[in-house]
């Protein structure tokens, strides 16, 4: 099934894959998730924003166990052209910035910070 997903994604040709948080529910057993991410990273960059479950299990441990994943809470990602994906409102909004958050309740803060679009996982 994982190889089918990678094959479909390769055919679609995405420029980026964005994961909206809650990547794990337990602080152990990330090998399956790591294998999945490694396949996805062969297609294009994979970005993530941590969710509440990721914080509960220990975000620093999760980040260590998932190498190669680009965490938007650490730094904004500059994509092709002028697309810029941010994981925090304090990373600064521009006309081409999109805020990626886990909680949709952050939409008011995003608007106040100047983001015209927010994606929530």
């Amino acid at each position: 099934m994982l190889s089918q997903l990678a094959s479909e994604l390769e055919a679609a040709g995405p420029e980026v894959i964005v994961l909206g948080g809650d990547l794990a529910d337990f602080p152990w057993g990330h090998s399956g998730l790591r294998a999945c991410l490694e396949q996805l990273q062969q297609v294009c960059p994979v970005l993530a924003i941590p969710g509440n479950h990721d914080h509960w299990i220990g975000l620093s441990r999760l980040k260590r166990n998932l190498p190669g994943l680009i965490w938007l809470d650490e730094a904004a990602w500059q994509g092709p052209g002028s697309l810029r994906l941010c994981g925090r409102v304090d990373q600064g909004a521009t006309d081409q910035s999109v805020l990626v958050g886990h909680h949709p309740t952050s939409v008011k803060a995003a608007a106040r910070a100047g983001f015209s679009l927010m994606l929530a996982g």
Side-chain angles (χ1 to χ4, degrees), residues 23-83:
L23 302 180
D25 286 321
F26 303 103
W28 61 85
H30 301 136
S31 59
L33 177 57
R34 186 172 42 249
C36 177
L37 292 172
E38 287 170 356
Q39 282 218 282
L40 295 178
Q41 290 163 346
Q42 298 301 313
V43 176
C44 64
V46 180
L47 288 55
I49 192 75
N52 53 310
H53 293 213
D54 305 319
H55 286 283
W56 293 340
I57 66 165
L59 185 57
S60 59
R61 175 194 276 178
L62 184 64
K63 287 181 176 185
R64 279 193 311 273
N65 287 329
L66 302 176
L69 195 56
I70 300 166
W71 292 92
L72 291 173
D73 62 318
E74 295 177 358
W77 180 79
Q78 184 66 49
S82 56
L83 174 66

Side-chain angles (χ1 to χ4, degrees), residues 80-119:
S82 56
L83 174 66
R84 186 167 176 269
L85 299 178
C86 301
R88 295 188 330 262
V89 294
D90 65 352
Q91 290 171 334
T94 68
D95 291 343
Q96 300 300 315
S97 292
V98 175
L99 181 66
V100 179
H102 179 68
H103 299 285
T105 55
S106 303
V107 71
K108 288 181 182 178
R112 281 192 303 270
F115 289 92
S116 58
L117 178 63
M118 177 183 171
L119 303 175

